Each structure stands twice: as structure tokens, then as C-alpha cells.
Amino acid sequence: MSQENTLTSPTQQKSVAELKQIAAQVRRDIVRMVHAVNSGHPGGSLGCTDLLVALYFRIMKHDPSFNMKGEGEDLFFLSNGHISPVFYSVLARSGYFPVSELATFRKLNSRLQGHPATHEHLPGIRIASGSLGQGMSVAIGAAQAKKLNGDNRLVYVLMGDGELEEGQVWEAAMYAPHHKVDNLIAIVDRNGQQIDGSTEEIMDLGNLRAKFEAFGWRVLETNGNDLEKLIPTLEEAGKLSGQGQPTMILMDTQMGYGVDYMMGTHKWHGTAPNDEQLEKALQQLLVEEAGDY
């Protein structure tokens, strides 16, 4: 079968109703994975679930059979690698590796490390991430490589808002517009929380829209936990490609979205639920036909 035939296509795109069911299942995966090893980062993973589900099941043209070069397909880079549970779940659910492998998360000799790494050769992982601030630089390099290769597909990168305290992000933010990297769509998870508290208290980010626009970016804003708003924004970003500017999406989310006791607080940044809390979470994340691993 040719690569073109294995890539996701518009005929395979999921409806919003289907995406919501997938997102609920992914959230079930997240809380179960973290609970099983009493380790991991559920808060940001739950908050970014809708984005990754929209990208992999609706927006991106990608090939689950996976090759590292990614020629002729859209690429996604996760910069804030600590939210690996959502990334692993979405990759598995979209066909990159068996869903049953999610049960090995953070265990000895697992390919599903706490932060994604490449030496395990896990399909879908193109960079090691978790050392914050590096993802946008990598995505810019990949986007420029696509231009040099005559590849017209897009490159997406997700960063956390606390991650913007890293200086390398702003070097990359200055570089991309100067070099007209207009096949790049960067996304900031603007949940207002980081490991030690709110971003406002730790290091106020100020007016991010004004900052990125001053650097020469085209900026869109959306609700990252509302698929009816998120999908049109992602589609608009795609239509803006090729016009001489990189695009930044400032995506407002709630940390822990979908589990009421985790929502809106930094306390679930890197804390696993206990048995009782897991059951409470699963009762809130019901799906029509649960496909738990």
C-alpha cells in the first residue's frame, strides 16, 4: 500500500461527537496510567486531550505506520514532554502501537517513559522532550527541512505556558518570523498553572498575544477544551500557512479538565490519584463503549 493511501484523509475524519467519545476514552487512559504506577502528570494531560484528539483524528495528515522522516505528512512535536500520558494514549488510539502497551507506562524496560524518548523507538516519537523550552526550535528546524525538500505539509508544536519562561523559546520566536517559517503552527497551552503555582504568581507572562505579534507572528486564540471552537481555529491556522508568517495559537484550557476535583489547580500537575479518586474520575469519564486497555 502506498504512503498516500495509509495517511489519514478527509473521509477518515471523525465528527465532533466521535471526537468527544475518543477524548473521554483518552482521559480514562490518562488517569488509569498515572494511577497504576502512582506517578506521572495528569493535570496538563487532561487539559490538552481535546487538542491532541483533534489533531490526530481530524486535522493532521499523518501515517501511523510511522517513519522518522515524516515525508509528505504533517508532524507534531510535544515540547512539554511531561504530559506524555495524553500523547501515548492518542498515539495508541490512532494506530501507532497497540493500546495494550499503555499498561506498561513508566514501568521498567517500557517504551513509554515518563518523558518521551527516542532510544526506545516508540512509533510516533521523533524527539526526546521534557527538558522544557526546546520544542519550538526543533519544530522550526523540521519546518525548514520540509521547505527545502519541497514538502508542503505542516509542522505543529505544543508548549506549556510555564515553559515560556525558558529563554530559548523567545530566541525561536524571533527566528521563525525572520526566516518566514510559514508552515509552522505553534500552540501554547495557556492554563495559567505550573508546578509551583499559577503562572501569574511565579512569573507573570503578561500579554502573550501582543508579545508574539510584536515578534512577527500571526496570533489566534481559542478555547482548547471546546472542540466546536478549537477545530475551526486549527483549520484557520492551516489556511494561513504559506503567507510568510508562522502562526501561534494561544489555547485556553483548564488543567485537569474532565475531572472536577483536578480542574483549575496546579496541585494535580504531577500527582497521581489514589484508588478512591480514580473511581471518582472514571465515573465522570463515561463513554458509550469503553475500550479500556
Side-chain angles (χ1 to χ4, degrees), residues 27 29-46 82-83 85 105-106 115 194-197 255-256 259 261-263 265-275 277-278 281:
R27 287 186 166 101
D29 291 344
I30 291 166
V31 294
R32 294 182 69 240
M33 290 162 67
V34 173
H35 165 266
V37 290
N38 194 31
S39 178
H41 297 78
S45 295
L46 292 166
H82 57 275
I83 66 167
F105 174 68
R106 277 185 176 248
H115 294 72
Q194 58 190 99
I195 190 168
D196 291 326
M255 181 172 279
V259 179
Y261 62 85
M262 292 188 183
M263 288 172 60
T265 171
H266 73 281
K267 294 180 180 180
W268 290 95
H269 171 90
T271 302
N274 59 30
D275 292 350
Q277 291 166 332
L278 172 66

Side-chain angles (χ1 to χ4, degrees), residues 172-221:
M174 183 166 53
Y175 180 98
H178 177 78
H179 291 278
K180 296 181 170 54
V181 187
D182 55 6
N183 55 342
L184 172 70
I185 298 174
I187 304 161
V188 170
D189 174 23
R190 193 166 57 179
N191 62 25
Q193 306 293 331
Q194 58 190 99
I195 190 168
D196 291 326
S198 72
T199 54
E200 184 178 11
E201 295 170 333
I202 305 301
M203 182 73 75
D204 194 355
L205 299 169
N207 188 334
L208 285 180
R209 182 184 191 107
K211 288 180 178 180
F212 279 104
E213 286 180 339
F215 275 62
W217 289 70
R218 197 186 303 266
V219 180
L220 305 175
E221 298 185 67

Side-chain angles (χ1 to χ4, degrees), residues 151-180:
D151 184 339
N152 65 358
R153 302 312 306 172
L154 301 175
V155 177
Y156 296 83
V157 59
L158 173 64
M159 300 169 284
D161 52 359
E163 182 176 1
L164 300 187
E165 295 164 16
E166 298 281 356
Q168 184 173 339
V169 172
W170 297 100
E171 294 179 65
M174 183 166 53
Y175 180 98
H178 177 78
H179 291 278
K180 296 181 170 54

Side-chain angles (χ1 to χ4, degrees), residues 41-138:
H41 297 78
S45 295
L46 292 166
C48 289
T49 295
D50 301 298
L51 171 69
L52 269 72
V53 167
L55 286 174
Y56 277 84
F57 290 91
R58 176 74 173 255
I59 298 297
M60 294 199 312
K61 185 177 182 180
H62 63 101
D63 185 359
S65 67
F66 188 66
N67 69 83
M68 188 62 87
K69 291 183 178 180
E71 295 172 337
E73 58 180 311
D74 296 322
L75 304 182
F76 172 77
F77 294 99
L78 178 67
S79 187
N80 49 333
H82 57 275
I83 66 167
S84 62
V86 64
F87 196 18
Y88 295 148
S89 173
V90 168
L91 286 174
R93 297 283 172 185
S94 58
Y96 281 79
F97 55 86
V99 171
S100 60
E101 194 168 351
L102 297 177
T104 72
F105 174 68
R106 277 185 176 248
K107 293 181 179 179
L108 291 176
N109 301 315
S110 171
R111 297 195 296 176
L112 279 62
Q113 295 295 305
H115 294 72
T118 54
H119 63 273
E120 285 89 359
H121 305 292
L122 184 67
I125 307 299
R126 289 190 166 88
I127 62 166
S129 61
S131 240
L132 297 177
Q134 300 177 4
M136 178 127 78
S137 298
V138 173

